[in-house]
Amino acid sequence: MAASTLTEVARLAGVSPATASRVLNGSARTPGKDIAERVRQAADSLGYIPNAQAQGLAKSSSGLIGLIVHDIADPYFAAIARGVQDAAREQRKMVLLATTGGGPAEEKEAVAAFAARRADSIVIAGSRSCRAEDQEGNAQLAAELDRYCRNGGRVAVVGHPVVGATALEGYHVVEVPNQELAGRLATELAAGWDGDFVIIGGPDGLYTSDDRVRGFQEGLARAGHRPAEVLRSAFNRSGGYEAGLQLAARIKAASAGNPAAPKLCIFAVNDVMAIGAAAALRSEGLRIPRDASIAGFDDIETLRDFRPALSTVRLPLEDIGRLATRATRPRPAGQDQEAASDEAVTGEVTLRRSTEAAAV
Amino acid sequence: MAASTLTEVARLAGVSPATASRVLNGSARTPGKDIAERVRQAADSLGYIPNAQAQGLAKSSSGLIGLIVHDIADPYFAAIARGVQDAAREQRKMVLLATTGGGPAEEKEAVAAFAARRADSIVIAGSRSCRAEDQEGNAQLAAELDRYCRNGGRVAVVGHPVVGATALEGYHVVEVPNQELAGRLATELAAGWDGDFVIIGGPDGLYTSDDRVRGFQEGLARAGHRPAEVLRSAFNRSGGYEAGLQLAARIKAASAGNPAAPKLCIFAVNDVMAIGAAAALRSEGLRIPRDASIAGFDDIETLRDFRPALSTVRLPLEDIGRLATRATRPRPAGQDQEAASDEAVTGEVTLRRSTEAAAV
DNA sequence: ACGAATCGGGAAAGCGCATTCCCTCTGTTT
DNA sequence: AAACAGAGGGAATGCGCTTTCCCGATTCGT
């Protein structure tokens, strides 16, 4: 990658590199009209493009925002990514993408890579875990983030704080009220439901999943309902599918013994899992909501045309990405550090046909 | 973003920066064991992270791959992005993301930004257009790409070449056989179908859409079928929805006049549009495939659980992203330039329930 | 055993740009 | 009219790293 340099432009325009630099990037000092014009023309005719690496080196700031997701093809992350991208454009920055598959070790790698590139800020969208096997990885990730922040980097994490990260200057968390919303969902569902609830959760220790499970149970309790059984599975479509197969067998067994057996209401901790579970039930000849109700979480856009329409909790994913990105932007001096960073994320319980009790 | 520098590491280890550089990055010259160890320890204790910007400046190569998409939240692009990301990891590079909304002007901006960052290569996933209004933008984009390539950059574009781009060193196109596959789809659909076909296409001038429309018509012709009417609409879900509303009205009118009117088979040029159209039909009380057949294109993963299962053409999107990214990798010397770059992309017609003629 | 080839290390010159400092030239003040 | 600010331009330095180039110390060949 060679290209024409500022020096060449300056030479062509017959001025010093310093002057050329001043006219081509809004410096505090503004050269004279005629000279500016000459430089601009020279730059144009040479097709000059400033070398951002060199600029970054000189100014020690890269104009880069690092985004860490599990999997960019997952619509949940894709939606957040869109928000991040959008906010990045506002800040006239570019986004560097890292997909990690979910392990804290890879996330640590990604943070290090971003730090190496001197990214101005980092947004971590992947959900945190506190499984024993991730403990060491989490510690390393926390250490890496610590270092990054100490060096002036800013980071925002979506959902839960990174385990073990000490509250640092420049470390923000965009809280997502998973627990509360799951509780509300449970309450609303329990209102018109007598049968049992079953929760299809992600692996134990995944905060996002655990919060939603806990919240849902609390909601049930508030509604005077007995707690739901919890099935653990992978946090993706096939996890939902497998759990769905189990439940299908159970449902069929129950209705075989007693045709009037009370229906089951399934809560999958995210939409993608819910869809997987629904597919499993269907493949076993069961119908929703006739034979079982099902609800998800996230309200993934691509899934809204799914039938029966999925009851879920709408999360403003794009906004979440935007918020996280904005939180990393250095506050205008007078502003309180905390003030703007806590624009709360709110969700909305959205009941649709997949849990219509009327179909009982 | 300050951090410890190579010089500091060198000083701590009591060696010259040159030596430190040599041990910390695999150089051709390998310093002695003991010294290497000392340097490594020093680096470790200082938490040294090399400054990629400076490295890039010195080596004039950034380890960056630029990816241009219309919208990262669109599952089509998200799938390609996953492939790109994957291939980038293979090459130990990071991906810079730019979303443009589809206009060539913004794409040009993105290319310039990537060039400024000295990205080693650029993958353009957005589909090309030859609408009159885009003409100037296309020319500018082509010029920008030209310049980028002349400066040693490598670019791969998915689908169609950029209009007006002269075949340059380092310019690759990953051909997607849209036309042929659409033709095959048409042929297979026409085999069991007597009624009319209608195509829901994207805006006129969008190559991806036009190719699929043209191919489909050719396929119909080959099957001895009369050509399909073409409805133009936006290249997204709501475009499909709107066209779907029109068609719903038409279908209802036809069956009102003649209850035994032959069914319509709708081909939407991509899955997302097809889903939109299906939603529109459903909202008008029509059922698929009872009242109309519908087929899409792409076989978006997230949409596979949609019911009725959508007939479509499976495209290996992730592979396409991977292929495009690999195509930009400089060939090992002995290799023919063309040899590997033409690993053909193939798709597969996938008939599912949404076009089941048996339901007639 | 002596010059030649090599090995391991350091000094220094950039890579392309921003920026500080200095200088000259103008326009202004008393 | 002398002194002085200030504007506009250039020389030079440094950002952090890679990479020649150079040099003393080994090892090798015959």
Side-chain angles (χ1 to χ4, degrees):
Chain A
M1 286 294 320
S4 49
T5 73
L6 185 60
T7 314
E8 290 171 27
V9 173
R11 185 160 36 220
L12 180 57
V15 300
S16 80
T19 304
S21 168
R22 287 195 266 254
V23 21
L24 293 179
N25 316 306
S27 152
R29 304 245 323 242
T30 324
K33 277 276 179 194
D34 46 345
I35 286 210
E37 189 49 33
R38 249 196 1 247
V39 171
R40 237 178 298 264
Q41 276 194 6
D44 226 56
S45 78
L46 253 48
Y48 169 71
I49 297 184
N51 184 327
Q53 307 217 66
Q55 288 188 146
L57 229 205
K59 292 196 292 203
S60 72
S61 123
S62 61
L64 254 28
I65 293 182
L67 170 62
I68 299 181
V69 298
H70 288 358
D71 173 9
I72 191 62
D74 180 324
Y76 171 86
F77 291 114
I80 292 181
R82 185 201 259 164
V84 170
Q85 174 79 51
D86 192 56
R89 188 193 305 268
E90 278 175 10
Q91 303 180 30
R92 331 197 112 272
K93 304 199 172 180
M94 302 211 70
V95 2
L96 261 176
L97 184 63
T99 74
T100 63
E106 287 133 303
E107 296 188 334
K108 181 214 148 205
E109 292 300 321
V111 171
F114 288 157
R117 297 237 135 73
R118 297 305 184 262
D120 298 331
S121 46
I122 296 181
V123 174
I124 305 185
S127 57
R128 317 284 86 236
S129 126
C130 62
R131 281 175 297 184
E133 60 209 272
D134 285 338
Q135 197 155 346
E136 191 185 333
N138 275 325
Q140 289 188 14
L141 173 58
E144 198 69 50
L145 282 175
D146 247 50
R147 176 155 69 193
Y148 177 71
C149 285
R150 257 200 313 279
N151 289 335
R154 318 190 138 266
V155 3
V157 14
V158 172
H160 262 274
V162 169
V163 180
T166 46
L168 246 20
E169 180 80 14
Y171 181 77
H172 302 93
V173 178
V174 176
E175 308 265 5
V176 178
N178 283 310
Q179 189 167 338
E180 183 206 331
L181 290 168
R184 291 231 295 269
L185 174 63
T187 313
E188 297 203 21
L189 287 176
W193 198 264
D194 300 323
D196 276 334
F197 285 89
V198 178
I199 302 178
I200 303 183
D204 211 355
L206 205 62
Y207 278 124
T208 306
S209 168
D210 286 354
D211 284 354
R212 293 176 182 179
V213 169
R214 191 176 323 120
F216 196 85
Q217 299 281 33
E218 287 174 7
L220 289 182
R222 262 200 311 277
H225 221 280
R226 63 188 165 290
E229 179 188 355
V230 180
L231 259 47
R232 298 286 177 184
S233 191
F235 200 59
N236 53 29
R237 192 250 176 210
S238 63
Y241 190 85
E242 281 168 29
L245 286 183
Q246 278 184 47
L247 290 176
R250 199 182 299 188
I251 293 169
K252 290 207 279 196
S255 67
N258 167 16
K263 270 171 41 182
L264 220 53
C265 179
I266 303 169
F267 167 53
V269 292
N270 70 42
D271 277 3
V272 175
M273 293 177 79
I275 295 296
L281 293 197
R282 200 160 39 210
S283 77
E284 293 296 311
L286 297 174
R287 301 268 301 267
I288 296 166
R290 194 193 61 190
D291 302 315
S293 283
I294 190 162
F297 205 110
D298 288 342
D299 198 24
I300 298 296
E301 193 176 333
T302 327
L303 262 23
R304 291 195 194 139
D305 283 314
F306 186 81
R307 284 300 173 280
L310 190 64
S311 290
T312 187
V313 175
R314 164 171 259 152
L315 237 37
L317 295 173
E318 197 174 327
D319 288 341
I320 289 176
R322 231 186 313 260
L323 244 51
T325 308
R326 291 205 187 117
T328 65
R329 192 185 36 188
R331 304 258 152 279
Q335 198 110 354
D336 186 12
Q337 183 72 6
E338 295 306 302
S341 83
D342 282 15
E343 286 182 52
V345 170
T346 62
E348 196 180 339
V349 173
T350 309
L351 260 29
R352 302 207 183 96
R353 186 158 158 69
S354 71
T355 55
E356 263 181 25
V360 175
Chain B
M1 288 294 322
S4 49
T5 74
L6 185 61
T7 312
E8 289 170 27
V9 173
R11 186 162 34 221
L12 180 58
V15 300
S16 79
T19 304
S21 168
R22 289 196 265 255
V23 22
L24 292 179
N25 317 305
S27 152
R29 304 238 331 235
T30 323
K33 278 275 180 194
D34 46 346
I35 286 210
E37 190 48 33
R38 253 202 351 256
V39 171
R40 238 178 298 264
Q41 275 193 7
D44 227 54
S45 78
L46 253 48
Y48 170 71
I49 297 183
N51 184 326
Q53 305 216 68
Q55 289 189 145
L57 229 206
K59 293 197 292 203
S60 71
S61 123
S62 60
L64 255 27
I65 293 182
L67 170 62
I68 298 181
V69 298
H70 289 357
D71 174 9
I72 190 61
D74 179 325
Y76 171 86
F77 291 114
I80 293 182
R82 185 200 258 164
V84 170
Q85 175 80 50
D86 192 57
R89 188 193 307 265
E90 277 175 11
Q91 303 180 30
R92 332 197 111 271
K93 303 199 171 180
M94 302 212 69
V95 0
L96 260 176
L97 184 62
T99 74
T100 64
E106 286 132 305
E107 296 188 333
K108 182 213 149 205
E109 293 301 320
V111 171
F114 289 156
R117 297 238 135 72
R118 297 304 185 261
D120 297 333
S121 46
I122 296 181
V123 174
I124 304 185
S127 58
R128 315 286 87 234
S129 127
C130 63
R131 280 176 297 184
E133 61 211 273
D134 286 337
Q135 197 155 346
E136 191 184 333
N138 275 326
Q140 288 188 15
L141 173 58
E144 198 69 50
L145 282 175
D146 247 50
R147 176 156 67 196
Y148 176 73
C149 286
R150 258 201 311 278
N151 289 335
R154 316 189 139 268
V155 3
V157 13
V158 171
H160 261 275
V162 169
V163 180
T166 47
L168 246 20
E169 181 79 13
Y171 181 77
H172 302 92
V173 178
V174 176
E175 307 265 5
V176 178
N178 283 310
Q179 189 166 339
E180 182 206 331
L181 290 168
R184 291 231 295 269
L185 174 63
T187 314
E188 296 202 22
L189 287 176
W193 198 264
D194 299 324
D196 277 332
F197 284 89
V198 179
I199 302 177
I200 303 182
D204 211 354
L206 205 63
Y207 278 123
T208 306
S209 168
D210 285 355
D211 285 354
R212 292 176 183 179
V213 169
R214 191 177 321 120
F216 197 84
Q217 299 281 34
E218 287 174 7
L220 289 182
R222 263 201 310 277
H225 221 280
R226 62 189 165 289
E229 180 187 354
V230 180
L231 259 46
R232 298 287 177 183
S233 193
F235 200 60
N236 52 30
R237 192 251 177 208
S238 63
Y241 190 85
E242 281 168 29
L245 285 183
Q246 278 184 46
L247 290 176
R250 200 182 297 188
I251 293 169
K252 291 207 277 196
S255 67
N258 168 16
K263 269 173 39 182
L264 219 52
C265 179
I266 303 169
F267 167 55
V269 292
N270 70 42
D271 277 3
V272 175
M273 293 177 79
I275 294 298
L281 293 197
R282 201 160 37 209
S283 77
E284 293 296 311
L286 298 174
R287 301 270 300 268
I288 297 167
R290 193 193 62 188
D291 301 315
S293 283
I294 190 160
F297 205 109
D298 289 341
D299 198 24
I300 298 295
E301 193 177 332
T302 327
L303 263 23
R304 290 194 194 140
D305 283 315
F306 186 82
R307 284 299 174 280
L310 191 63
S311 290
T312 187
V313 175
R314 163 172 260 152
L315 238 37
L317 295 173
E318 197 174 328
D319 287 342
I320 289 176
R322 229 186 314 260
L323 244 50
T325 309
R326 290 205 188 118
T328 64
R329 191 184 37 188
R331 304 259 152 279
Q335 198 111 353
D336 187 12
Q337 183 72 7
E338 295 306 303
S341 83
D342 283 16
E343 284 183 54
V345 170
T346 62
E348 195 180 339
V349 173
T350 309
L351 262 27
R352 303 204 182 98
R353 184 156 159 71
S354 72
T355 54
E356 262 181 25
V360 175

